[in-house]
């Protein structure tokens, strides 16, 4: 039996905060559904910004990058996963810097498009699934709309299947210090999102290539 795997790209500097709490909820749900999972603490990794040299686009086989940091190692872990979970607090009305920087690098390393005709585009991580786990502080109306839209566009560009997000306000986690059973609705929302992502993976749902290339989807 081919076991399904989830890779959690943990993008918070605080290992005991709200982002960790919702990630633990997600991990327990993954375990209950029989998914293997691994967490990568991005603040402990060296992740340089992309320099747009495009050397990665000339890889003859597999993927590469001229920068000597931890991104290629993470890219290898990404390629072994079926489901990617980006867990991040909201910093400056978007996801934190390390996961954002990593996603910038991966969109070049794992998408070989530049200088090629659309029929020759190669998304190495074609139809892997991606979802967001978000914790946030200040309450702004429609806070998640630009984040959600950006991730939809990112997944469309990379031919990833976007499974959506679960967002929990950090203020509520103060209640956890007094009542460990607090936030049942928030936990239920995280678990529901994980269930949707798992179900989509198990069903083999694929991204729509025609939405990016204009070509008719095959299969």
């Amino acid at each position: 039996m081919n076991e399904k795997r989830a890779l959690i790209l943990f993008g918070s500097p605080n290992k005991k905060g709200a982002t960790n709490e919702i990630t633990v909820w997600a991990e327990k749900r993954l375990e209950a559904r029989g998914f293997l999972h691994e967490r990568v603490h991005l603040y402990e990794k060296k992740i340089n910004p992309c320099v747009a040299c495009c050397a990665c686009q000339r890889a003859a086989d597999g993927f590469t990058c001229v920068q000597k940091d931890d991104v290629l190692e993470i890219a290898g872990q990404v390629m072994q996963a079926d489901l990617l979970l980006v867990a991040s607090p909201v910093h400056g009305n978007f996801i934190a810097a390390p996961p954002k920087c990593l996603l910038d690098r991966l969109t070049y390393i794992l998408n070989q498009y530049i200088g090629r005709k659309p029929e020759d585009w190669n998304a190495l991580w074609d139809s892997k699934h991606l979802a967001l786990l978000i914790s946030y502080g200040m309450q702004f109306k429609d806070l998640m709309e630009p984040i959600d839209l950006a991730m939809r566009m990112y997944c469309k560009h990379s031919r990833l299947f976007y499974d959506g997000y679960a967002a929990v306000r950090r203020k509520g986690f103060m209640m956890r210090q007094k009542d460990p059973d607090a936030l049942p609705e928030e936990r239920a929302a995280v678990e529901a999102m994980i269930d949707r992502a798992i179900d989509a993976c198990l069903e083999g749902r694929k991204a729509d290539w025609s939405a990016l290339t204009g070509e008719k989807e095959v299969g």
Side-chain angles (χ1 to χ4, degrees), residues 127-191:
S127 290
K128 291 188 183 295
H129 287 242
L130 183 145
L132 297 178
L133 293 170
I134 299 292
S135 69
Y136 63 97
M138 295 183 67
Q139 177 67 62
F140 290 110
K141 183 180 179 181
D142 303 327
L143 172 70
M144 285 301 301
E145 281 194 8
I147 298 174
D148 181 53
L149 177 60
M151 294 312 301
R152 287 180 184 277
M153 294 176 66
Y154 183 92
C155 290
K156 178 179 177 179
H157 173 80
S158 299
R159 203 184 181 189
L160 300 171
F161 191 98
Y162 182 54
D163 292 296
Y165 68 87
V168 179
R169 191 178 183 191
R170 288 195 292 271
K171 183 177 180 180
F173 284 89
M174 297 177 184
M175 300 164 55
R176 299 282 290 177
Q177 298 175 6
K178 298 180 179 180
D179 180 5
D181 295 321
L183 308 179
E185 294 181 1
E186 288 82 353
R187 180 166 185 165
V190 170
E191 291 177 344

Side-chain angles (χ1 to χ4, degrees), residues 6-219:
L7 182 67
I8 300 165
L9 302 172
F10 187 80
S12 173
N14 187 352
K15 292 184 180 180
K16 297 183 180 180
T19 305
N20 175 69
E21 185 89 7
I22 61 177
T23 301
V24 170
W25 292 346
E27 289 169 334
K28 290 182 177 179
R29 193 61 185 166
L30 288 166
E31 291 171 5
R33 295 289 305 273
F35 259 57
L36 301 177
H37 61 83
E38 180 180 5
R39 187 193 296 205
V40 179
H41 290 271
L42 299 183
Y43 271 86
E44 296 178 353
K45 299 295 184 178
K46 184 178 181 182
I47 303 173
N48 296 330
C50 181
V51 296
C53 68
C54 294
C56 57
Q57 301 296 296
R58 296 188 289 274
D61 185 34
F63 55 86
T64 188
C65 182
V66 298
Q67 299 202 62
K68 306 304 181 184
D69 58 7
D70 294 322
V71 171
L72 283 183
E73 177 187 353
I74 299 171
Q77 293 172 288
V78 166
M79 292 300 293
Q80 296 299 314
D82 301 286
L83 170 62
L84 307 173
L85 293 175
V86 179
S88 176
V90 171
H91 290 173
N93 295 320
F94 202 64
I95 61 175
K100 174 61 170 65
C101 191
L102 176 64
L103 291 175
D104 288 347
R105 292 282 298 283
L106 292 178
T107 197
Y108 278 90
I109 292 171
L110 298 181
N111 295 326
Q112 296 171 347
Y113 299 164
I114 297 174
R116 306 183 187 198
K117 297 179 180 179
E119 59 266 29
D120 296 325
W121 288 352
N122 186 22
L124 297 176
W125 51 353
D126 180 357
S127 290
K128 291 188 183 295
H129 287 242
L130 183 145
L132 297 178
L133 293 170
I134 299 292
S135 69
Y136 63 97
M138 295 183 67
Q139 177 67 62
F140 290 110
K141 183 180 179 181
D142 303 327
L143 172 70
M144 285 301 301
E145 281 194 8
I147 298 174
D148 181 53
L149 177 60
M151 294 312 301
R152 287 180 184 277
M153 294 176 66
Y154 183 92
C155 290
K156 178 179 177 179
H157 173 80
S158 299
R159 203 184 181 189
L160 300 171
F161 191 98
Y162 182 54
D163 292 296
Y165 68 87
V168 179
R169 191 178 183 191
R170 288 195 292 271
K171 183 177 180 180
F173 284 89
M174 297 177 184
M175 300 164 55
R176 299 282 290 177
Q177 298 175 6
K178 298 180 179 180
D179 180 5
D181 295 321
L183 308 179
E185 294 181 1
E186 288 82 353
R187 180 166 185 165
V190 170
E191 291 177 344
M193 188 274 287
I194 294 297
D195 279 338
R196 290 195 302 272
I198 288 174
D199 289 342
C201 282
L202 295 177
E203 292 168 9
R205 299 182 67 183
K206 294 184 177 296
D208 182 8
W209 195 225
S210 63
L212 176 62
T213 66
E215 300 293 328
K216 184 178 180 181
E217 183 69 8
V218 177

